[in-house]
């Protein structure tokens, strides 16, 4: 770095300066993103492979950054979690997704479920249940059409509060699914006591499925059947994977083989 006369601040190397500047800028941009209306949702369909019918969609967050264009969630959700902004963003996506679902229903598109991802921070709010209840009331969406995707780690992290909230949500009629199932820390004994209705097999197991003769997917599918839970496979990319899953009695699937996440209008035009 070149010395500038009269400058006495040399705490950071130039490289560190740039990195921290960029992350501070991104954080600032993230704060403004909601009021500037820069978030949007892409919806990825979920199918029953047996009859080929669409059963629901998963709402996936996108950030349309003014300079950088579409930023995928993996690049800003960790920052949103760190800063606590995920709470505001999470509420935004819930309201938006429920509004969308209600709109589709009113236009005669009888979609079964709208799945929304929830983060740890959202569950740490004491009034999460009230917020969700309020959103359903506002949007006039029946609770049974909303499905919330939680990870095992989220559930294990704040056990008592999370369990309490999950029970309230279930009592209201909302469906709960475990996302990325098989990658977290929850014990099988614990699983039995959770008020959930669905397991989502993580993509990593679908990726390996055809090599290791399906031992893990098979175990998860059987587990789900024994616990009376629905099982959906995520990240299905090929016909071989889909056929293999169906042969194992897993009929619900989501993945690029069927469809990438798409804008609401595209979903409506293609599947309504
Ligand atoms: P996730 O919940 O496990 O979502 C599935 C991710 O896999 C999505 O990535 C989806 O686009 C991608 N995907 C779906 N099918 C395939 C496939 O066949 N092949 C491959 N390679 N990928 C596939 P996306 O949209 O980039 O989201 C990444 C993660 O960001 C999500 O993983 C979720 O953990 C998080 N996320 C997204 N939206 C939200 C949100 O609204 N709230 C929270 N808390 N997290 C979100
Ligand atoms: Ca998910
Ligand atoms: Ca997942
Ligand atoms: Ca994931």
């Amino acid at each position: 770095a070149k010395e500038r006369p009269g400058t006495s601040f040399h705490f950071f190397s130039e490289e560190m300066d740039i990195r921290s500047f960029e992350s501070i800028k991104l954080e600032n941009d993230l704060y403004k993103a909601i009021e500037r209306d820069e978030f949007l949702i892409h919806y990825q369909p979920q199918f029953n492979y047996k009859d080929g019918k669409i059963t629901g969609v998963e709402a996936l967050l996108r950030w349309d950054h003014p300079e950088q264009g579409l930023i995928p969630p993996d690049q800003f959700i960790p920052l949103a979690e760190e800063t606590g902004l995920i709470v505001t963003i999470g509420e935004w996506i819930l309201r938006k997704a429920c509004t969308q679902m209600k709109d589709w229903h009113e236009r005669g598109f009888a979609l079964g479920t709208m799945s929304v991802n929830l983060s740890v921070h959202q569950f740490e709010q004491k009034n999460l249940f009230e917020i969700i209840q309020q959103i359903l009331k506002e949007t006039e969406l029946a609770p049974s059409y909303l499905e919330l995707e939680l990870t095992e780690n989220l559930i294990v992290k704040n056990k008592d509060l999370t369990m309490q909230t999950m029970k309230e949500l279930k009592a209201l009629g909302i469906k709960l699914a475990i996302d990325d199932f098989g990658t977290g820390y929850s014990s099988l004994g614990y699983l039995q006591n959770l008020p959930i209705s669905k397991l989502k097999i993580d993509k990593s197991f679908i990726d390996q499925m055809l090599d290791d003769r399906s031992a893990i997917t098979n175990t998860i599918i059987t587990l789900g059947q024994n616990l009376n839970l629905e099982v959906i496979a995520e990240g299905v990319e090929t016909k071989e994977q889909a056929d293999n899953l169906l042969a194992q009695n897993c009929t619900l699937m989501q993945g690029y083989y069927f469809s990438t996440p798409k804008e609401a209008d595209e979903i409506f035009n293609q599947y309504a």
Side-chain angles (χ1 to χ4, degrees):
K2 279 203 186 99
E3 298 268 326
R4 244 179 292 155
T7 307
S8 53
F9 301 101
H10 298 291
F11 298 109
F12 302 104
S13 73
E14 189 171 81
E15 203 180 308
M16 273 179 74
D17 245 353
I18 290 167
R19 219 184 354 254
S20 58
F21 173 75
E22 275 175 356
S23 78
I24 289 166
K25 176 159 178 0
L26 198 68
E27 190 176 329
N28 270 328
D29 290 351
L30 198 55
Y31 275 102
K32 292 181 199 134
I34 287 202
E35 53 185 84
R36 290 183 182 166
D37 209 16
E38 289 167 2
F39 289 115
L40 49 109
I41 306 178
H42 283 177
Y43 299 90
Q44 188 177 34
Q46 304 174 329
F47 293 91
N48 181 331
Y49 190 49
K50 226 180 209 166
D51 60 19
K53 287 198 176 122
I54 187 170
T55 58
V57 294
E58 178 177 5
L60 293 159
L61 190 60
R62 302 288 179 261
W63 180 10
D64 192 3
H65 190 277
E67 290 131 42
Q68 290 171 247
L70 272 200
I71 305 183
D74 290 334
Q75 283 176 38
F76 65 89
I77 285 198
L79 186 62
E81 291 262 2
E82 256 174 60
T83 53
L85 272 173
I86 192 69
V87 171
T88 314
I89 299 171
E91 208 178 309
W92 177 87
I93 193 168
L94 267 167
R95 185 169 279 111
K96 180 98 178 176
C98 290
T99 305
Q100 184 61 68
M101 189 67 165
K102 180 70 186 177
D103 178 63
W104 278 337
H105 280 179
E106 279 176 347
R107 290 154 72 195
F109 180 24
L111 198 59
T113 50
M114 169 64 72
S115 299
V116 178
N117 295 284
L118 285 192
S119 80
V120 180
H121 260 82
Q122 286 176 280
F123 262 86
E124 283 167 351
Q125 295 174 280
K126 292 243 155 44
N127 59 346
L128 178 66
F129 173 76
E130 284 75 19
I131 290 171
I132 294 177
Q133 195 177 32
Q134 174 62 29
I135 289 173
L136 288 169
K137 219 170 119 188
E138 262 173 52
T139 58
E140 296 175 349
L141 183 70
S144 61
Y145 292 118
L146 178 63
E147 180 173 79
L148 302 173
E149 297 194 0
L150 324 174
T151 62
E152 289 164 80
N153 297 348
L154 177 156
I155 295 165
V156 170
K157 186 151 185 232
N158 211 335
K159 264 190 200 164
D160 296 340
L161 179 63
T162 305
M163 185 67 121
Q164 173 62 30
T165 309
M166 286 175 77
K167 281 182 182 154
E168 289 173 347
L169 292 167
K170 191 199 167 148
L172 192 65
I174 291 169
K175 299 198 178 87
L176 301 172
I178 299 198
D179 202 359
D180 305 339
F181 185 73
T183 63
Y185 301 113
S186 73
S187 70
L188 293 182
Y190 192 51
L191 187 66
Q192 200 163 17
N193 300 318
L194 290 175
I196 53 167
S197 57
K198 195 188 267 182
L199 299 179
K200 214 167 176 186
I201 310 176
D202 190 65
K203 178 180 186 301
S204 58
F205 302 121
I206 309 303
D207 288 343
Q208 301 159 9
M209 191 176 67
L210 299 179
D211 307 330
D212 74 357
R213 299 197 216 90
S214 320
I216 294 181
T217 50
N218 227 310
T219 303
I220 297 176
I221 293 160
T222 307
L223 178 72
Q225 283 165 351
N226 290 341
L227 292 176
N228 241 321
L229 301 173
E230 285 190 299
V231 176
I232 182 166
E234 77 174 344
V236 179
E237 293 182 341
T238 67
K239 183 173 191 303
E240 289 68 32
Q241 289 170 339
D243 289 342
N244 202 279
L245 284 160
L246 188 61
Q248 297 176 62
N249 275 316
C250 175
T251 54
L252 297 176
M253 302 180 202
Q254 177 181 349
Y256 292 172
Y257 173 60
F258 300 97
S259 171
T260 56
K262 295 190 162 128
E263 281 174 34
D265 285 350
E266 266 184 274
I267 296 285
F268 184 85
N269 291 338
Q270 195 161 350
Y271 302 105

